[in-house]
């Protein structure tokens, strides 16, 4: 017989650490971010991964391979969060 139940303590969501991706030009194409960080073997693989919906841009699934990425945008791939920073601009 169950008299009462314990409530589980609230789980505090920890924000995953992000990697700063420094680029010289703005905008930069999405597939190039994956290449710069060596998360894929080459541009062809990067384009396939993006087209398959494996990449998120600012929290939304992005399937456009040549989508322009700007300073401050967040890219997520395989659980790795990356924040784009243009050299000379502060986040």
């Amino acid at each position: 017989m169950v008299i009462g139940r314990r409530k589980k303590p609230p789980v505090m969501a920890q924000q995953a650490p992000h990697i700063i991706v420094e680029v010289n030009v703005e905008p930069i194409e999405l597939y190039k971010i994956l290449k710069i960080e060596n998360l894929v073997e080459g541009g062809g693989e990067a384009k396939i991964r993006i087209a398959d919906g494996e990449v998120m841009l600012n929290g939304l699934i992005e399937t456009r391979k040549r989508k322009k990425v700007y300073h401050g945008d967040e890219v997520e791939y395989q659980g790795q969060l990356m924040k784009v920073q243009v050299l000379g601009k502060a986040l």
Side-chain angles (χ1 to χ4, degrees):
M1 182 163 128
V2 176
I3 296 175
R5 293 195 176 193
R6 273 189 156 161
K7 287 187 176 182
K8 293 182 180 178
V11 177
M12 301 301 286
Q14 292 184 357
Q15 207 170 19
H18 60 271
I19 297 170
I20 302 294
V21 180
E22 294 181 336
V23 295
N24 294 325
V25 294
E26 180 182 41
I28 186 168
E29 293 161 337
L30 181 58
Y31 79 95
K32 291 180 182 177
I33 300 292
L34 301 180
K35 283 178 43 179
I36 289 170
E37 286 300 308
N38 290 321
L39 297 173
V40 292
E41 294 290 322
E45 182 184 353
K47 290 176 181 180
I48 290 170
R49 301 288 181 188
I50 294 167
D52 287 346
E54 296 179 29
V55 179
M56 295 178 75
L57 178 65
N58 296 324
L60 301 172
I61 294 174
E62 184 58 65
T63 57
R64 294 175 286 178
K65 302 170 267 283
R66 293 186 172 264
K67 170 71 173 138
K68 304 296 186 232
V69 179
Y70 295 90
H71 178 78
D73 284 349
E74 292 182 346
V75 178
E76 186 174 346
Y77 175 68
Q78 293 184 340
Q80 185 121 11
L81 186 62
M82 298 160 279
K83 193 158 192 128
V84 177
Q85 181 176 2
V86 177
L87 293 175
K89 286 189 178 182
L91 280 176

